[in-house]
Amino acid sequence: MEKKIYAVVYTYDSQKSEDLARERPGHRAFLRSLFEKGELLASGPLGDGQALIIVKATTPAEALTLLDPDPLHAQEIIKDREVKEWNPNIGPFAS
């Protein structure tokens, strides 16, 4: 099955800002490992307690499974994860 590009929006639990700061280095190391494997295309904060993570996967469920080992997910710092297929037509991720 061909891999597609998915945009995953993390929404952080606003009551866990200290936990977020503590776990951020592990979160970034985890994302770097996905980037080095070619599974992560980009990531970064959106503001308002959210982050955008762009990954390659075959299905939306696989995109979330790929991110399950994220320390922020394991520590329940992420309140919500929304995944949508993204089809860029201009720019470095366009096919």
Side-chain angles (χ1 to χ4, degrees):
M1 188 175 241
E2 182 180 332
K3 289 197 175 192
K4 300 175 183 177
I5 297 176
Y6 291 94
V8 180
V9 176
Y10 280 5
T11 300
Y12 301 120
D13 185 335
S14 62
Q15 302 299 312
K16 297 188 175 184
S17 59
E18 289 180 21
D19 297 332
L20 174 61
R22 183 187 67 243
E23 297 295 333
R24 186 173 284 124
H27 162 71
R28 289 185 176 163
F30 168 73
L31 292 178
R32 270 192 296 281
S33 74
L34 292 181
F35 180 76
E36 290 167 359
K37 294 179 201 172
E39 297 170 322
L40 174 85
L41 298 177
S43 69
L46 287 173
D48 294 331
Q50 293 185 314
L52 176 64
I53 301 169
I54 308 294
V55 297
K56 293 169 81 175
T58 56
T59 65
E62 182 182 291
L64 291 176
T65 298
L66 181 67
L67 297 170
D68 279 349
D70 187 334
L72 298 183
H73 182 65
Q75 296 298 317
E76 299 180 351
I77 296 167
I78 301 167
K79 187 166 74 172
D80 185 52
R81 299 184 304 170
E82 180 182 1
V83 61
K84 293 188 182 246
E85 185 176 338
W86 183 45
N87 297 304
N89 53 32
I90 297 173
F93 307 125
S95 49

mmCIF file with all atom_site columns, all heavy atoms in Angstrom, residues 1-6 37-41 55-59 62-63 66 85-87 95:
data_model
loop_
_atom_site.group_PDB
_atom_site.id
_atom_site.type_symbol
_atom_site.label_atom_id
_atom_site.label_alt_id
_atom_site.label_comp_id
_atom_site.label_asym_id
_atom_site.label_entity_id
_atom_site.label_seq_id
_atom_site.pdbx_PDB_ins_code
_atom_site.Cartn_x
_atom_site.Cartn_y
_atom_site.Cartn_z
_atom_site.occupancy
_atom_site.B_iso_or_equiv
_atom_site.pdbx_formal_charge
_atom_site.auth_seq_id
_atom_site.auth_comp_id
_atom_site.auth_asym_id
_atom_site.auth_atom_id
_atom_site.pdbx_PDB_model_num
ATOM 1   N N   . MET A 1 1  ? 0.844  -1.184 0.000  1.00 0.00 ? 1  MET A N   1
ATOM 2   C CA  . MET A 1 1  ? 0.000  0.000  0.000  1.00 0.00 ? 1  MET A CA  1
ATOM 3   C C   . MET A 1 1  ? 0.893  1.252  0.000  1.00 0.00 ? 1  MET A C   1
ATOM 4   O O   . MET A 1 1  ? 1.868  1.323  0.732  1.00 0.00 ? 1  MET A O   1
ATOM 5   C CB  . MET A 1 1  ? -0.914 -0.033 1.227  1.00 0.00 ? 1  MET A CB  1
ATOM 6   C CG  . MET A 1 1  ? -1.961 1.032  1.245  1.00 0.00 ? 1  MET A CG  1
ATOM 7   S SD  . MET A 1 1  ? -3.076 0.813  2.657  1.00 0.00 ? 1  MET A SD  1
ATOM 8   C CE  . MET A 1 1  ? -4.589 0.581  1.788  1.00 0.00 ? 1  MET A CE  1
ATOM 9   N N   . GLU A 1 2  ? 0.526  2.202  -0.823 1.00 0.00 ? 2  GLU A N   1
ATOM 10  C CA  . GLU A 1 2  ? 1.321  3.435  -0.952 1.00 0.00 ? 2  GLU A CA  1
ATOM 11  C C   . GLU A 1 2  ? 1.157  4.342  0.264  1.00 0.00 ? 2  GLU A C   1
ATOM 12  O O   . GLU A 1 2  ? 0.062  4.515  0.784  1.00 0.00 ? 2  GLU A O   1
ATOM 13  C CB  . GLU A 1 2  ? 0.863  4.186  -2.202 1.00 0.00 ? 2  GLU A CB  1
ATOM 14  C CG  . GLU A 1 2  ? 1.645  5.442  -2.466 1.00 0.00 ? 2  GLU A CG  1
ATOM 15  C CD  . GLU A 1 2  ? 1.157  6.160  -3.717 1.00 0.00 ? 2  GLU A CD  1
ATOM 16  O OE1 . GLU A 1 2  ? 0.649  5.493  -4.620 1.00 0.00 ? 2  GLU A OE1 1
ATOM 17  O OE2 . GLU A 1 2  ? 1.295  7.384  -3.763 1.00 0.00 ? 2  GLU A OE2 1
ATOM 18  N N   . LYS A 1 3  ? 2.292  4.924  0.675  1.00 0.00 ? 3  LYS A N   1
ATOM 19  C CA  . LYS A 1 3  ? 2.234  5.856  1.810  1.00 0.00 ? 3  LYS A CA  1
ATOM 20  C C   . LYS A 1 3  ? 1.710  7.208  1.344  1.00 0.00 ? 3  LYS A C   1
ATOM 21  O O   . LYS A 1 3  ? 1.994  7.654  0.236  1.00 0.00 ? 3  LYS A O   1
ATOM 22  C CB  . LYS A 1 3  ? 3.602  6.003  2.451  1.00 0.00 ? 3  LYS A CB  1
ATOM 23  C CG  . LYS A 1 3  ? 4.005  4.757  3.198  1.00 0.00 ? 3  LYS A CG  1
ATOM 24  C CD  . LYS A 1 3  ? 5.117  5.032  4.149  1.00 0.00 ? 3  LYS A CD  1
ATOM 25  C CE  . LYS A 1 3  ? 5.370  3.766  4.952  1.00 0.00 ? 3  LYS A CE  1
ATOM 26  N NZ  . LYS A 1 3  ? 6.228  4.002  6.080  1.00 0.00 ? 3  LYS A NZ  1
ATOM 27  N N   . LYS A 1 4  ? 0.930  7.818  2.216  1.00 0.00 ? 4  LYS A N   1
ATOM 28  C CA  . LYS A 1 4  ? 0.370  9.145  1.985  1.00 0.00 ? 4  LYS A CA  1
ATOM 29  C C   . LYS A 1 4  ? 0.941  10.083 3.039  1.00 0.00 ? 4  LYS A C   1
ATOM 30  O O   . LYS A 1 4  ? 1.631  9.650  3.957  1.00 0.00 ? 4  LYS A O   1
ATOM 31  C CB  . LYS A 1 4  ? -1.153 9.092  2.093  1.00 0.00 ? 4  LYS A CB  1
ATOM 32  C CG  . LYS A 1 4  ? -1.800 8.152  1.096  1.00 0.00 ? 4  LYS A CG  1
ATOM 33  C CD  . LYS A 1 4  ? -3.281 8.043  1.334  1.00 0.00 ? 4  LYS A CD  1
ATOM 34  C CE  . LYS A 1 4  ? -3.896 7.040  0.379  1.00 0.00 ? 4  LYS A CE  1
ATOM 35  N NZ  . LYS A 1 4  ? -5.325 6.873  0.633  1.00 0.00 ? 4  LYS A NZ  1
ATOM 36  N N   . ILE A 1 5  ? 0.615  11.335 2.916  1.00 0.00 ? 5  ILE A N   1
ATOM 37  C CA  . ILE A 1 5  ? 1.062  12.323 3.900  1.00 0.00 ? 5  ILE A CA  1
ATOM 38  C C   . ILE A 1 5  ? -0.121 12.667 4.802  1.00 0.00 ? 5  ILE A C   1
ATOM 39  O O   . ILE A 1 5  ? -1.231 12.919 4.320  1.00 0.00 ? 5  ILE A O   1
ATOM 40  C CB  . ILE A 1 5  ? 1.607  13.584 3.216  1.00 0.00 ? 5  ILE A CB  1
ATOM 41  C CG1 . ILE A 1 5  ? 2.839  13.230 2.379  1.00 0.00 ? 5  ILE A CG1 1
ATOM 42  C CG2 . ILE A 1 5  ? 1.958  14.646 4.257  1.00 0.00 ? 5  ILE A CG2 1
ATOM 43  C CD1 . ILE A 1 5  ? 3.402  14.394 1.584  1.00 0.00 ? 5  ILE A CD1 1
ATOM 44  N N   . TYR A 1 6  ? 0.144  12.650 6.107  1.00 0.00 ? 6  TYR A N   1
ATOM 45  C CA  . TYR A 1 6  ? -0.894 12.979 7.093  1.00 0.00 ? 6  TYR A CA  1
ATOM 46  C C   . TYR A 1 6  ? -0.419 14.111 7.994  1.00 0.00 ? 6  TYR A C   1
ATOM 47  O O   . TYR A 1 6  ? 0.746  14.136 8.409  1.00 0.00 ? 6  TYR A O   1
ATOM 48  C CB  . TYR A 1 6  ? -1.240 11.753 7.951  1.00 0.00 ? 6  TYR A CB  1
ATOM 49  C CG  . TYR A 1 6  ? -1.950 10.699 7.149  1.00 0.00 ? 6  TYR A CG  1
ATOM 50  C CD1 . TYR A 1 6  ? -1.245 9.652  6.552  1.00 0.00 ? 6  TYR A CD1 1
ATOM 51  C CD2 . TYR A 1 6  ? -3.327 10.754 6.953  1.00 0.00 ? 6  TYR A CD2 1
ATOM 52  C CE1 . TYR A 1 6  ? -1.896 8.692  5.796  1.00 0.00 ? 6  TYR A CE1 1
ATOM 53  C CE2 . TYR A 1 6  ? -3.982 9.802  6.195  1.00 0.00 ? 6  TYR A CE2 1
ATOM 54  C CZ  . TYR A 1 6  ? -3.254 8.774  5.617  1.00 0.00 ? 6  TYR A CZ  1
ATOM 55  O OH  . TYR A 1 6  ? -3.908 7.834  4.857  1.00 0.00 ? 6  TYR A OH  1
ATOM 56  N N   . LYS A 1 37 ? 14.404 8.235  9.980  1.00 0.00 ? 37 LYS A N   1
ATOM 57  C CA  . LYS A 1 37 ? 13.881 7.045  9.299  1.00 0.00 ? 37 LYS A CA  1
ATOM 58  C C   . LYS A 1 37 ? 13.062 7.404  8.059  1.00 0.00 ? 37 LYS A C   1
ATOM 59  O O   . LYS A 1 37 ? 12.585 6.528  7.352  1.00 0.00 ? 37 LYS A O   1
ATOM 60  C CB  . LYS A 1 37 ? 12.983 6.244  10.250 1.00 0.00 ? 37 LYS A CB  1
ATOM 61  C CG  . LYS A 1 37 ? 13.691 5.629  11.422 1.00 0.00 ? 37 LYS A CG  1
ATOM 62  C CD  . LYS A 1 37 ? 12.654 4.903  12.276 1.00 0.00 ? 37 LYS A CD  1
ATOM 63  C CE  . LYS A 1 37 ? 13.133 4.706  13.671 1.00 0.00 ? 37 LYS A CE  1
ATOM 64  N NZ  . LYS A 1 37 ? 12.065 4.184  14.543 1.00 0.00 ? 37 LYS A NZ  1
ATOM 65  N N   . GLY A 1 38 ? 12.841 8.708  7.834  1.00 0.00 ? 38 GLY A N   1
ATOM 66  C CA  . GLY A 1 38 ? 12.044 9.145  6.690  1.00 0.00 ? 38 GLY A CA  1
ATOM 67  C C   . GLY A 1 38 ? 10.549 9.089  6.915  1.00 0.00 ? 38 GLY A C   1
ATOM 68  O O   . GLY A 1 38 ? 9.769  9.241  5.974  1.00 0.00 ? 38 GLY A O   1
ATOM 69  N N   . GLU A 1 39 ? 10.118 8.890  8.163  1.00 0.00 ? 39 GLU A N   1
ATOM 70  C CA  . GLU A 1 39 ? 8.690  8.800  8.464  1.00 0.00 ? 39 GLU A CA  1
ATOM 71  C C   . GLU A 1 39 ? 8.085  10.149 8.849  1.00 0.00 ? 39 GLU A C   1
ATOM 72  O O   . GLU A 1 39 ? 6.879  10.338 8.735  1.00 0.00 ? 39 GLU A O   1
ATOM 73  C CB  . GLU A 1 39 ? 8.466  7.788  9.589  1.00 0.00 ? 39 GLU A CB  1
ATOM 74  C CG  . GLU A 1 39 ? 8.882  6.386  9.174  1.00 0.00 ? 39 GLU A CG  1
ATOM 75  C CD  . GLU A 1 39 ? 8.897  5.396  10.309 1.00 0.00 ? 39 GLU A CD  1
ATOM 76  O OE1 . GLU A 1 39 ? 9.298  5.762  11.435 1.00 0.00 ? 39 GLU A OE1 1
ATOM 77  O OE2 . GLU A 1 39 ? 8.514  4.242  10.069 1.00 0.00 ? 39 GLU A OE2 1
ATOM 78  N N   . LEU A 1 40 ? 8.905  11.062 9.320  1.00 0.00 ? 40 LEU A N   1
ATOM 79  C CA  . LEU A 1 40 ? 8.459  12.409 9.696  1.00 0.00 ? 40 LEU A CA  1
ATOM 80  C C   . LEU A 1 40 ? 8.982  13.385 8.650  1.00 0.00 ? 40 LEU A C   1
ATOM 81  O O   . LEU A 1 40 ? 10.166 13.347 8.300  1.00 0.00 ? 40 LEU A O   1
ATOM 82  C CB  . LEU A 1 40 ? 9.015  12.779 11.072 1.00 0.00 ? 40 LEU A CB  1
ATOM 83  C CG  . LEU A 1 40 ? 8.748  14.215 11.515 1.00 0.00 ? 40 LEU A CG  1
ATOM 84  C CD1 . LEU A 1 40 ? 7.384  14.321 12.163 1.00 0.00 ? 40 LEU A CD1 1
ATOM 85  C CD2 . LEU A 1 40 ? 9.808  14.682 12.485 1.00 0.00 ? 40 LEU A CD2 1
ATOM 86  N N   . LEU A 1 41 ? 8.108  14.243 8.161  1.00 0.00 ? 41 LEU A N   1
ATOM 87  C CA  . LEU A 1 41 ? 8.519  15.254 7.187  1.00 0.00 ? 41 LEU A CA  1
ATOM 88  C C   . LEU A 1 41 ? 8.802  16.591 7.852  1.00 0.00 ? 41 LEU A C   1
ATOM 89  O O   . LEU A 1 41 ? 9.712  17.304 7.449  1.00 0.00 ? 41 LEU A O   1
ATOM 90  C CB  . LEU A 1 41 ? 7.448  15.418 6.111  1.00 0.00 ? 41 LEU A CB  1
ATOM 91  C CG  . LEU A 1 41 ? 7.158  14.175 5.268  1.00 0.00 ? 41 LEU A CG  1
ATOM 92  C CD1 . LEU A 1 41 ? 6.032  14.454 4.291  1.00 0.00 ? 41 LEU A CD1 1
ATOM 93  C CD2 . LEU A 1 41 ? 8.419  13.721 4.545  1.00 0.00 ? 41 LEU A CD2 1
ATOM 94  N N   . VAL A 1 55 ? 3.561  13.421 8.871  1.00 0.00 ? 55 VAL A N   1
ATOM 95  C CA  . VAL A 1 55 ? 4.166  12.101 8.756  1.00 0.00 ? 55 VAL A CA  1
ATOM 96  C C   . VAL A 1 55 ? 3.720  11.401 7.474  1.00 0.00 ? 55 VAL A C   1
ATOM 97  O O   . VAL A 1 55 ? 2.726  11.781 6.858  1.00 0.00 ? 55 VAL A O   1
ATOM 98  C CB  . VAL A 1 55 ? 3.815  11.201 9.965  1.00 0.00 ? 55 VAL A CB  1
ATOM 99  C CG1 . VAL A 1 55 ? 4.360  11.771 11.254 1.00 0.00 ? 55 VAL A CG1 1
ATOM 100 C CG2 . VAL A 1 55 ? 2.317  10.970 10.078 1.00 0.00 ? 55 VAL A CG2 1
ATOM 101 N N   . LYS A 1 56 ? 4.471  10.364 7.113  1.00 0.00 ? 56 LYS A N   1
ATOM 102 C CA  . LYS A 1 56 ? 4.111  9.500  5.998  1.00 0.00 ? 56 LYS A CA  1
ATOM 103 C C   . LYS A 1 56 ? 3.625  8.178  6.575  1.00 0.00 ? 56 LYS A C   1
ATOM 104 O O   . LYS A 1 56 ? 4.286  7.586  7.422  1.00 0.00 ? 56 LYS A O   1
ATOM 105 C CB  . LYS A 1 56 ? 5.321  9.268  5.100  1.00 0.00 ? 56 LYS A CB  1
ATOM 106 C CG  . LYS A 1 56 ? 5.769  10.525 4.381  1.00 0.00 ? 56 LYS A CG  1
ATOM 107 C CD  . LYS A 1 56 ? 7.101  10.337 3.708  1.00 0.00 ? 56 LYS A CD  1
ATOM 108 C CE  . LYS A 1 56 ? 6.946  9.630  2.398  1.00 0.00 ? 56 LYS A CE  1
ATOM 109 N NZ  . LYS A 1 56 ? 8.228  9.538  1.655  1.00 0.00 ? 56 LYS A NZ  1
ATOM 110 N N   . ALA A 1 57 ? 2.449  7.730  6.126  1.00 0.00 ? 57 ALA A N   1
ATOM 111 C CA  . ALA A 1 57 ? 1.863  6.476  6.589  1.00 0.00 ? 57 ALA A CA  1
ATOM 112 C C   . ALA A 1 57 ? 0.874  5.988  5.528  1.00 0.00 ? 57 ALA A C   1
ATOM 113 O O   . ALA A 1 57 ? 0.529  6.721  4.608  1.00 0.00 ? 57 ALA A O   1
ATOM 114 C CB  . ALA A 1 57 ? 1.164  6.678  7.925  1.00 0.00 ? 57 ALA A CB  1
ATOM 115 N N   . THR A 1 58 ? 0.421  4.763  5.694  1.00 0.00 ? 58 THR A N   1
ATOM 116 C CA  . THR A 1 58 ? -0.528 4.227  4.715  1.00 0.00 ? 58 THR A CA  1
ATOM 117 C C   . THR A 1 58 ? -1.976 4.558  5.056  1.00 0.00 ? 58 THR A C   1
ATOM 118 O O   . THR A 1 58 ? -2.815 4.616  4.161  1.00 0.00 ? 58 THR A O   1
ATOM 119 C CB  . THR A 1 58 ? -0.365 2.698  4.574  1.00 0.00 ? 58 THR A CB  1
ATOM 120 O OG1 . THR A 1 58 ? -0.507 2.096  5.854  1.00 0.00 ? 58 THR A OG1 1
ATOM 121 C CG2 . THR A 1 58 ? 0.996  2.349  3.994  1.00 0.00 ? 58 THR A CG2 1
ATOM 122 N N   . THR A 1 59 ? -2.267 4.770  6.340  1.00 0.00 ? 59 THR A N   1
ATOM 123 C CA  . THR A 1 59 ? -3.638 5.069  6.773  1.00 0.00 ? 59 THR A CA  1
ATOM 124 C C   . THR A 1 59 ? -3.589 6.080  7.928  1.00 0.00 ? 59 THR A C   1
ATOM 125 O O   . THR A 1 59 ? -2.539 6.225  8.575  1.00 0.00 ? 59 THR A O   1
ATOM 126 C CB  . THR A 1 59 ? -4.360 3.811  7.285  1.00 0.00 ? 59 THR A CB  1
ATOM 127 O OG1 . THR A 1 59 ? -3.690 3.348  8.469  1.00 0.00 ? 59 THR A OG1 1
ATOM 128 C CG2 . THR A 1 59 ? -4.408 2.709  6.238  1.00 0.00 ? 59 THR A CG2 1
ATOM 129 N N   . GLU A 1 62 ? -2.489 4.262  11.028 1.00 0.00 ? 62 GLU A N   1
ATOM 130 C CA  . GLU A 1 62 ? -1.046 4.009  11.063 1.00 0.00 ? 62 GLU A CA  1
ATOM 131 C C   . GLU A 1 62 ? -0.281 5.275  11.450 1.00 0.00 ? 62 GLU A C   1
ATOM 132 O O   . GLU A 1 62 ? 0.724  5.205  12.156 1.00 0.00 ? 62 GLU A O   1
ATOM 133 C CB  . GLU A 1 62 ? -0.551 3.486  9.720  1.00 0.00 ? 62 GLU A CB  1
ATOM 134 C CG  . GLU A 1 62 ? 0.934  3.164  9.734  1.00 0.00 ? 62 GLU A CG  1
ATOM 135 C CD  . GLU A 1 62 ? 1.437  2.701  8.382  1.00 0.00 ? 62 GLU A CD  1
ATOM 136 O OE1 . GLU A 1 62 ? 1.063  1.590  7.956  1.00 0.00 ? 62 GLU A OE1 1
ATOM 137 O OE2 . GLU A 1 62 ? 2.208  3.457  7.750  1.00 0.00 ? 62 GLU A OE2 1
ATOM 138 N N   . ALA A 1 63 ? -0.755 6.422  10.994 1.00 0.00 ? 63 ALA A N   1
ATOM 139 C CA  . ALA A 1 63 ? -0.109 7.689  11.358 1.00 0.00 ? 63 ALA A CA  1
ATOM 140 C C   . ALA A 1 63 ? -0.129 7.873  12.876 1.00 0.00 ? 63 ALA A C   1
ATOM 141 O O   . ALA A 1 63 ? 0.872  8.253  13.484 1.00 0.00 ? 63 ALA A O   1
ATOM 142 C CB  . ALA A 1 63 ? -0.782 8.863  10.663 1.00 0.00 ? 63 ALA A CB  1
ATOM 143 N N   . LEU A 1 66 ? 2.164  5.314  14.614 1.00 0.00 ? 66 LEU A N   1
ATOM 144 C CA  . LEU A 1 66 ? 3.554  5.742  14.482 1.00 0.00 ? 66 LEU A CA  1
ATOM 145 C C   . LEU A 1 66 ? 3.936  6.716  15.593 1.00 0.00 ? 66 LEU A C   1
ATOM 146 O O   . LEU A 1 66 ? 5.064  6.694  16.095 1.00 0.00 ? 66 LEU A O   1
ATOM 147 C CB  . LEU A 1 66 ? 3.728  6.408  13.107 1.00 0.00 ? 66 LEU A CB  1
ATOM 148 C CG  . LEU A 1 66 ? 5.095  6.912  12.710 1.00 0.00 ? 66 LEU A CG  1
ATOM 149 C CD1 . LEU A 1 66 ? 6.059  5.755  12.521 1.00 0.00 ? 66 LEU A CD1 1
ATOM 150 C CD2 . LEU A 1 66 ? 4.990  7.711  11.419 1.00 0.00 ? 66 LEU A CD2 1
ATOM 151 N N   . GLU A 1 85 ? -5.591 13.467 6.197  1.00 0.00 ? 85 GLU A N   1
ATOM 152 C CA  . GLU A 1 85 ? -4.740 13.280 5.027  1.00 0.00 ? 85 GLU A CA  1
ATOM 153 C C   . GLU A 1 85 ? -4.464 14.653 4.422  1.00 0.00 ? 85 GLU A C   1
ATOM 154 O O   . GLU A 1 85 ? -5.349 15.521 4.369  1.00 0.00 ? 85 GLU A O   1
ATOM 155 C CB  . GLU A 1 85 ? -5.430 12.382 4.001  1.00 0.00 ? 85 GLU A CB  1
ATOM 156 C CG  . GLU A 1 85 ? -4.542 12.066 2.820  1.00 0.00 ? 85 GLU A CG  1
ATOM 157 C CD  . GLU A 1 85 ? -5.174 11.107 1.843  1.00 0.00 ? 85 GLU A CD  1
ATOM 158 O OE1 . GLU A 1 85 ? -6.106 10.359 2.225  1.00 0.00 ? 85 GLU A OE1 1
ATOM 159 O OE2 . GLU A 1 85 ? -4.740 11.101 0.676  1.00 0.00 ? 85 GLU A OE2 1
ATOM 160 N N   . TRP A 1 86 ? -3.227 14.839 3.980  1.00 0.00 ? 86 TRP A N   1
ATOM 161 C CA  . TRP A 1 86 ? -2.828 16.118 3.394  1.00 0.00 ? 86 TRP A CA  1
ATOM 162 C C   . TRP A 1 86 ? -2.217 15.848 2.035  1.00 0.00 ? 86 TRP A C   1
ATOM 163 O O   . TRP A 1 86 ? -1.337 14.982 1.905  1.00 0.00 ? 86 TRP A O   1
ATOM 164 C CB  . TRP A 1 86 ? -1.830 16.811 4.322  1.00 0.00 ? 86 TRP A CB  1
ATOM 165 C CG  . TRP A 1 86 ? -1.393 18.175 3.872  1.00 0.00 ? 86 TRP A CG  1
ATOM 166 C CD1 . TRP A 1 86 ? -2.180 19.176 3.402  1.00 0.00 ? 86 TRP A CD1 1
ATOM 167 C CD2 . TRP A 1 86 ? -0.065 18.676 3.874  1.00 0.00 ? 86 TRP A CD2 1
ATOM 168 N NE1 . TRP A 1 86 ? -1.424 20.281 3.117  1.00 0.00 ? 86 TRP A NE1 1
ATOM 169 C CE2 . TRP A 1 86 ? -0.111 20.006 3.411  1.00 0.00 ? 86 TRP A CE2 1
ATOM 170 C CE3 . TRP A 1 86 ? 1.162  18.154 4.240  1.00 0.00 ? 86 TRP A CE3 1
ATOM 171 C CZ2 . TRP A 1 86 ? 1.018  20.804 3.263  1.00 0.00 ? 86 TRP A CZ2 1
ATOM 172 C CZ3 . TRP A 1 86 ? 2.288  18.953 4.117  1.00 0.00 ? 86 TRP A CZ3 1
ATOM 173 C CH2 . TRP A 1 86 ? 2.208  20.261 3.642  1.00 0.00 ? 86 TRP A CH2 1
ATOM 174 N N   . ASN A 1 87 ? -2.686 16.556 1.026  1.00 0.00 ? 87 ASN A N   1
ATOM 175 C CA  . ASN A 1 87 ? -2.200 16.380 -0.341 1.00 0.00 ? 87 ASN A CA  1
ATOM 176 C C   . ASN A 1 87 ? -1.580 17.672 -0.852 1.00 0.00 ? 87 ASN A C   1
ATOM 177 O O   . ASN A 1 87 ? -2.220 18.427 -1.582 1.00 0.00 ? 87 ASN A O   1
ATOM 178 C CB  . ASN A 1 87 ? -3.353 15.949 -1.262 1.00 0.00 ? 87 ASN A CB  1
ATOM 179 C CG  . ASN A 1 87 ? -3.932 14.619 -0.867 1.00 0.00 ? 87 ASN A CG  1
ATOM 180 O OD1 . ASN A 1 87 ? -3.208 13.634 -0.787 1.00 0.00 ? 87 ASN A OD1 1
ATOM 181 N ND2 . ASN A 1 87 ? -5.212 14.586 -0.594 1.00 0.00 ? 87 ASN A ND2 1
ATOM 182 N N   . SER A 1 95 ? 3.901  15.981 -4.631 1.00 0.00 ? 95 SER A N   1
ATOM 183 C CA  . SER A 1 95 ? 4.363  14.837 -5.431 1.00 0.00 ? 95 SER A CA  1
ATOM 184 C C   . SER A 1 95 ? 4.369  15.158 -6.904 1.00 0.00 ? 95 SER A C   1
ATOM 185 O O   . SER A 1 95 ? 3.828  16.085 -7.385 1.00 0.00 ? 95 SER A O   1
ATOM 186 C CB  . SER A 1 95 ? 3.481  13.633 -5.166 1.00 0.00 ? 95 SER A CB  1
ATOM 187 O OG  . SER A 1 95 ? 2.123  13.948 -5.267 1.00 0.00 ? 95 SER A OG  1
#
